[in-house]
């Protein structure tokens, strides 16, 4: 008998209508622990260089991890996977919420979706009763409405839902998958692939439950953690002000991406901060499954000119940056509206915001004009234009059609030197973290298998000095703090170690706001939790190896798909000076950066082109 | 000196976010904060007169100290 996971994956073929199951051995689960590890395990033999991401040959995965569903907090993560239409390589995107725990409660560790349906469908999973249901009446509708209809027609308000909006139906490259209206598998184009399969939603109701080895221990740790985290500054900050608690700090430090990464400081940072949100439009502090931290926001606006429905939650830091400071918009009401629209239409707020910001810069520089913008004065700060473009992108209409392909493609179309400030890596737009003030984040954007991504490793502003935070992760092998502005071997090692740890958290299904170093749960306590769930004897060393395996596996898939070192270029703008803020004049040093990347490759046992050596692949069982 | 501090670092519910204190001599930021009872400073960034500094920098009576959290994501 397996504990902490069921040992089975649901397998659905939308072309043939077949519904089956795939067994998951203990050996495989111990090797990968879930998440992107399982994505690798199945994706590696399913796609090749020639696979069109929108074809029926490209599978789509919904994977949980060993921790998903343990009722402690942070244990909510789901990882989606596919061949990404954005990067053409190993694609994953993770989300919190309730879908992963519900899927596990239904007795499944994940879902493998193959093929493509002729007509719109949705998947209804009630434990092991699984149906492919007609969704013709849902096609063309937004996530909010579809959520209500599916719950109503199945007479069950407690169903959990992964959905695509019109952006996914129209295969907008960065369409995302929205979970229960408030959480997003935002990146890498999961919604576009789901749309190409004509799969409108996955609706889940689980009643079987998860079999844990030591339930008493889990209850003990859960109770302890709920109390312990309360007065810790991070938990407190997240509870009070959400992920946007740091907007003012980022701004004062000169690392708040502003006006398409031209600037590092935004004059209206205070107006769009988590603190202002708490004082104005916040109505509730929400949470993912069983989480006492409650960092999720719920906002509501009922003004004559702007209304925002609380059922879509509220904007997080990434959305506030991408729709706010990046577009020079200092109006929280408008940002909340943009968030609501993106969640309803199913658009990644980061890529959408960066694409619009890019277009605003192109307009201000005269690279595009009113003929292209459909008469709109597309200057930075134009609130109406922001909201119009979100809609147009989801419908692939006018300028929105160009921007729906992301900034890499848009720069090719616009020309005029705009590629210099097209802020992407491997085709994926940069998240709201400024590499010129966090050099390790720049390394991360470059080497990440999924393109620019802030979720790969702890950022270098996190452990900048000796003290409790460094002490909390010494057992993972980290023995030095990081200077955010430094390059070199130490920085490469800091990043690599933290990437292994966060890689493991992704695989095991844990939110990185909970365990050390970012969160307050000590590493050994987290090990106790995993072992109580599984009955295993997992150690930090084993977890670091699992994380390393996930990173190397993703790299191997990418190289096999033709995504190699030549795709690791950072946007040229990062080698140019920031134009304002505390870091005015700072730019990245390309030679030092390339040298640091070599240290990083060496750390992992990859060759100087970044490909894992035979010895490394063998050591990791790949 | 004036100290402006995010309430996430304040343990007491009635603590003030903005306070003015008199220093008898220039001191390290970390010592000043400890004297006013602020100890739990994980995720804090320190700014003296709007310039980013670290907790061991020396502050003087005429300075303004700001303490803000650094966290992002989502
Ligand atoms: S800390 Fe926030 S994001 Fe993480 S599980 Fe808890 S509520 Fe969700």
């Amino acid at each position: 008998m397996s504990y902490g996971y069921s040992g089975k994956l649901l397998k659905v073929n939308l072309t043939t209508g077949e519904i089956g199951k795939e067994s998951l051995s203990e050996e495989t689960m111990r090797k990968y622990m879930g998440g992107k590890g399982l994505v690798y395990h199945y994706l590696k033999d399913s796609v090749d260089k020639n696979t069109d991401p929108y074809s029926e040959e490209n599978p789509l995965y919904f994977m949980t991890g060993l921790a998903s569903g343990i009722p402690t907090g942070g244990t909510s993560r789901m990882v989606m996977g596919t061949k990404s239409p954005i990067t053409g390589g190993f694609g994953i995107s993770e989300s919190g919420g309730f879908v992963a725990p519900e899927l596990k409660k239904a007795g499944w560790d994940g879902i493998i979706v193959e093929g493509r349906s002729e007509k719109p469908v949705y998947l209804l999973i009630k434990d092991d009763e699984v149906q492919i249901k007609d969704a013709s009446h849902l096609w063309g509708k937004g996530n909010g409405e579809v959520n209500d209809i599916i719950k109503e027609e199945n007479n069950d308000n407690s169903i959990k839902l992964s959905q695509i909006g019109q952006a996914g139906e129209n295969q907008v490259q960065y369409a995302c998958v929205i979970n229960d209206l408030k959480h997003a598998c935002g990146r890498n184009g999961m919604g576009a692939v789901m749309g190409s399969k004509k799969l409108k939603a996955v609706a889940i109701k689980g009643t079987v439950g998860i079999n844990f080895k030591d339930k008493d221990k889990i209850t003990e740790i859960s109770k302890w953690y709920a109390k312990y985290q309360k007065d810790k500054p991070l938990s407190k900050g997240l509870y009070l002000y959400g992920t946007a608690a740091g907007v003012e700090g980022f701004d004062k430090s000169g690392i708040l991406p502003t006006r398409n990464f031209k600037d590092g400081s935004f004059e209206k940072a205070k107006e769009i901060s988590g603190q202002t949100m708490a004082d104005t439009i916040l109505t509730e502090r929400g949470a993912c499954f069983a989480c006492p931290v409650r960092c999720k926001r719920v906002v509501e606006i009922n003004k004559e000119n702007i209304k925002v429905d609380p059922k879509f939650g509220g904007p997080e830091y990434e959305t506030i940056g991408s729709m706010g400071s990046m577009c020079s918009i200092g109006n929280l009401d408008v940002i909340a509206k943009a968030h609501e629209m993106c969640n309803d239409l199913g658009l990644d707020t980061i890529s959408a915001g960066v694409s619009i910001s890019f277009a605003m810069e192109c307009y201000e520089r005269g690279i595009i004009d009113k003929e292209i913008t459909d008469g709109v004065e597309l200057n930075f700060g134009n609130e109406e234009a922001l909201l119009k473009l979100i809609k147009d992108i989801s419908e692939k209409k006018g300028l929105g059609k160009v921007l729906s392909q992301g900034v890499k493609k848009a720069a090719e179309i616009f020309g005029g030197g705009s590629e210099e400030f097209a802020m992407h890596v491997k085709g994926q737009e940069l998240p709201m973290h400024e590499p010129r003030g966090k050099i390790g984040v720049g390394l991360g954007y470059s080497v990440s298998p999924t393109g620019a991504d802030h979720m790969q490793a702890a950022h270098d502003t996190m452990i900048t000095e000796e003290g409790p935070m460094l002490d909390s992760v010494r057992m993972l092998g980290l023995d030095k703090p990081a200077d955010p502005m430094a390059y070199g071997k130490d920085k490469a090692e800091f990043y690599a170690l933290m990437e292994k740890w966060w890689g493991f958290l992704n695989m095991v299904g844990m939110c990185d706001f909970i365990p050390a170093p970012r969160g307050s749960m000590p590493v050994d306590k987290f090990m106790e939790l995993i072992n109580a769930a599984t009955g295993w004897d997992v150690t930090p060393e084993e977890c670091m190896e699992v994380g390393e395996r996930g990173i190397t596996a993703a790299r191997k898939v990418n190289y096999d798909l033709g995504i190699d070192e030549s795709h690791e270029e950072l946007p040229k703008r990062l080698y140019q000076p920031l134009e304002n803020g505390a870091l005015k004049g700072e730019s990245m040093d390309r030679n030092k950066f390339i040298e640091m990347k070599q240290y990083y490759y060496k750390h992992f046992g990859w060759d100087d082109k970044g490909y894992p050596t035979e010895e490394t692949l063998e050591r990791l069982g790949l | 000196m004036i100290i402006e501090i995010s309430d996430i670092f304040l343990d007491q519910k009635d603590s003030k976010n903005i306070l003015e204190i008199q220093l008898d001599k220039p001191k390290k930021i970390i010592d000043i904060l400890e004297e006013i009872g602020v100890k739990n400073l994980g995720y804090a960034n320190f700014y003296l007169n709007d310039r980013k500094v670290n907790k061991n920098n020396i502050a003087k009576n005429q300075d303004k100290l700001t303490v803000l959290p650094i966290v992002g994501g989502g």
Side-chain angles (χ1 to χ4, degrees):
Chain A
M1 168 176 282
S2 58
Y3 295 102
Y5 69 105
S6 67
K8 57 190 174 77
L9 298 165
L10 173 64
K11 198 169 177 179
V12 177
N13 189 310
L14 294 176
T15 307
T16 62
E18 273 171 278
I19 296 171
K21 101 171 83 142
E22 174 99 11
S23 298
L24 195 53
S25 70
E26 177 163 345
E27 193 191 348
T28 304
M29 204 53 183
R30 185 107 189 206
K31 188 171 171 184
Y32 297 114
M33 301 207 179
K36 71 176 170 189
L38 290 181
V39 170
Y40 163 78
H41 185 64
Y42 292 99
L43 186 70
K44 68 179 180 344
D45 301 320
S46 304
V47 292
D48 61 28
K49 264 187 195 169
N50 300 318
T51 308
D52 174 354
Y54 297 138
S55 69
E56 62 181 323
E57 282 76 39
N58 191 23
L60 182 68
Y61 306 109
F62 298 73
M63 295 300 189
T64 68
L66 284 175
S68 321
I70 304 175
T72 308
T75 44
S76 56
R77 306 300 281 184
M78 173 172 80
V79 176
M80 291 191 69
T82 195
K83 179 177 178 180
S84 168
I86 294 179
T87 66
F90 183 80
I92 54 161
S93 188
E94 57 176 292
S95 160
F98 295 85
V99 169
E102 195 71 16
L103 187 60
K104 280 186 79 171
K105 278 196 256 166
W108 304 103
D109 295 322
I111 310 171
I112 299 173
V113 180
E114 294 175 333
R116 181 170 55 193
S117 174
E118 287 277 313
K119 58 181 179 60
V121 291
Y122 77 92
L123 209 55
L124 180 66
I125 303 168
K126 288 185 173 171
D127 301 332
D128 55 6
E129 206 182 288
V130 180
Q131 297 171 62
I132 300 172
K133 297 195 62 149
D134 179 45
S136 307
H137 59 306
L138 306 173
W139 207 249
K141 291 189 164 61
N143 285 324
E145 196 181 345
V146 170
N147 191 291
D148 294 345
I149 297 173
I150 290 182
K151 286 178 175 171
E152 205 181 303
E153 68 190 21
N154 290 287
N155 279 325
D156 191 343
N157 215 23
S158 65
I159 281 175
K160 305 291 181 265
L161 276 159
S162 285
Q163 302 171 252
I164 57 161
Q166 295 92 329
E169 293 176 9
N170 296 331
Q171 288 161 42
V172 170
Q173 188 175 274
Y174 44 84
C176 68
V177 172
I178 294 288
N179 298 316
D180 296 312
L181 304 183
K182 297 185 174 94
H183 314 269
C185 283
R187 313 237 65 202
N188 264 207
M190 298 298 144
V193 173
M194 194 157 151
S196 75
K197 298 191 174 306
K198 291 238 162 26
L199 179 60
K200 183 70 175 161
V202 177
I204 308 165
K205 174 73 185 182
T207 63
V208 177
I210 309 169
N211 204 11
F212 297 120
K213 178 76 180 175
D214 187 344
K215 281 192 197 126
D216 293 344
K217 187 82 192 163
I218 288 175
T219 307
E220 180 197 313
I221 296 174
S222 305
K223 280 189 181 157
W224 165 82
Y225 178 67
K227 262 198 191 150
Y228 178 78
Q229 56 83 31
K230 255 192 173 151
D231 64 338
K232 301 292 176 287
L234 179 76
S235 299
K236 227 166 124 183
L238 287 172
Y239 172 74
L240 288 173
Y241 306 124
T243 51
V247 169
E248 283 182 89
F250 281 131
D251 178 62
K252 265 197 191 319
S253 301
I255 52 173
L256 180 66
T258 300
R259 289 176 281 271
N260 201 27
F261 284 86
K262 251 192 324 180
D263 297 329
S265 172
F266 182 42
E267 55 287 350
K268 292 183 180 163
K270 197 177 174 67
E271 282 99 306
I272 61 170
S273 66
Q275 287 78 351
T276 299
M277 196 192 305
D279 292 341
T280 55
I281 57 177
L282 186 79
T283 55
E284 201 188 319
R285 292 174 169 89
C288 302
F289 168 76
C291 188
V293 175
R294 304 188 73 82
C295 79
K296 297 285 163 187
R297 307 293 89 177
V298 180
V299 303
E300 182 170 9
I301 303 174
N302 266 315
K303 293 182 181 163
E304 203 159 300
N305 61 339
I306 202 160
K307 303 216 182 312
V308 172
D309 189 332
K311 73 179 180 186
F312 295 98
E316 301 213 23
Y317 169 70
E318 301 300 329
T319 305
I320 285 178
S322 55
M323 301 286 172
S325 53
M326 279 287 279
C327 296
S328 205
I329 286 172
N331 181 344
L332 209 42
D333 289 359
V334 171
I335 296 169
K337 186 71 198 172
H339 158 84
E340 180 207 67
M341 289 174 73
C342 286
N343 278 24
D344 196 36
L345 297 163
L347 270 181
D348 173 29
T349 55
I350 297 175
S351 286
V354 174
S355 299
I356 294 168
S357 171
F358 169 78
M360 286 174 165
E361 181 163 358
C362 286
Y363 181 79
E364 290 207 344
R365 284 171 176 258
I367 295 170
I368 58 173
D369 57 19
K370 278 193 189 162
E371 207 178 308
I372 289 178
T373 66
D374 197 16
V376 174
E377 301 251 16
L378 196 55
N379 297 90
F380 280 112
N382 187 336
E383 298 172 353
E384 261 176 51
L386 172 81
L387 301 180
K388 175 177 166 15
L389 274 172
I390 289 172
K391 187 100 184 18
D392 289 353
I393 287 170
S394 74
E395 290 171 1
K396 289 187 164 175
K397 198 172 111 194
L399 174 59
K401 185 173 180 187
V402 178
L403 299 180
S404 73
Q405 301 165 76
V407 297
K408 180 175 182 240
K409 188 77 187 162
E412 282 167 28
I413 295 169
F414 294 159
S418 59
E419 154 261 336
E420 295 262 330
F421 53 86
M423 305 307 286
H424 73 92
V425 177
K426 300 187 180 90
Q428 177 156 276
E429 288 71 20
L430 262 60
M432 298 302 105
H433 303 272
E434 173 53 77
R436 284 165 287 188
K438 313 190 228 185
I439 301 296
V441 167
L443 175 62
Y445 287 170
S446 160
V447 298
S448 156
T450 56
D453 186 343
H454 60 295
M455 300 288 288
Q456 296 287 324
H459 295 186
D460 27 11
T461 40
M462 219 168 273
I463 307 175
T464 55
E465 55 192 33
E466 297 280 342
M469 286 176 88
L470 177 60
D471 294 344
S472 73
V473 282
R474 280 191 199 275
M475 69 167 73
L476 305 178
L478 191 73
D479 57 5
K480 281 184 210 126
D483 169 0
M485 303 304 279
Y487 297 77
K489 191 162 179 258
D490 284 353
K491 179 55 72 70
E493 282 185 353
F494 173 90
Y495 184 80
L497 285 168
M498 289 297 94
E499 189 185 14
K500 286 180 201 172
W501 180 237
W502 275 24
F504 161 71
L505 296 182
N506 167 297
M507 292 157 93
V508 83
M510 189 70 175
C511 170
D512 54 60
F513 283 136
I514 305 299
R518 205 184 196 190
S520 58
M521 185 184 282
V523 171
D524 48 5
K525 198 54 111 181
F526 183 41
M527 297 296 100
E528 261 183 63
L529 187 67
I530 299 294
N531 291 332
T534 56
W536 294 350
D537 53 357
V538 171
T539 61
E541 292 75 31
E542 183 179 346
C543 295
M544 291 295 270
E545 191 180 82
V546 168
E548 182 181 0
R549 183 173 295 119
I551 295 160
T552 302
R555 181 158 282 257
K556 184 176 178 300
V557 170
N558 263 355
Y559 275 55
D560 292 347
L561 295 176
I563 311 296
D564 58 18
E565 193 211 7
S566 66
H567 296 78
E568 291 181 347
E569 277 297 328
L570 288 173
K572 293 200 176 67
R573 170 155 282 170
L574 297 180
Y575 299 112
Q576 293 155 9
L578 273 162
E579 291 186 14
N580 81 356
L583 295 182
K584 183 176 175 185
E586 287 291 343
S587 58
M588 286 186 73
D589 182 314
R590 192 173 149 80
N591 291 333
K592 286 185 187 169
F593 178 70
I594 304 262
E595 184 194 47
M596 176 173 64
K597 204 146 66 94
Q598 285 298 323
Y599 287 125
Y600 169 85
Y601 289 168
K602 266 201 197 105
H603 177 98
F604 279 100
W606 303 342
D607 66 19
D608 60 2
K609 295 269 176 243
Y611 191 78
T613 61
E614 280 305 316
E615 203 187 333
T616 300
L617 292 173
E618 203 175 316
R619 176 171 59 80
L620 295 169
L622 299 170
Chain B
M1 76 178 299
I2 297 192
I3 303 177
E4 196 176 338
I5 184 162
S6 166
D7 45 4
I8 77 165
F9 303 112
L10 301 172
D11 293 335
Q12 311 297 333
K13 278 216 170 68
D14 55 355
S15 304
K16 289 210 174 74
N17 286 101
I18 301 177
L19 58 159
E20 191 162 0
I21 60 164
Q22 283 298 318
L23 296 179
D24 48 6
K25 58 175 188 203
K27 283 182 183 162
K28 279 187 184 174
I29 289 172
I30 188 75
D31 295 337
I32 297 169
L33 291 171
E34 204 170 318
E35 272 174 33
I36 61 168
V38 180
K39 294 191 187 87
N40 223 344
L41 283 163
Y43 284 90
N45 266 11
F46 309 97
Y47 308 88
L48 263 190
N49 309 315
D50 287 336
R51 207 169 52 83
K52 189 165 178 289
V53 294
N54 74 45
K55 66 182 182 190
N56 293 315
N57 271 59
I58 305 288
K60 302 184 292 297
N61 237 341
Q62 54 273 40
D63 288 334
K64 180 186 167 200
L65 170 66
T66 312
V67 185
L68 292 172
I70 281 272
V71 63

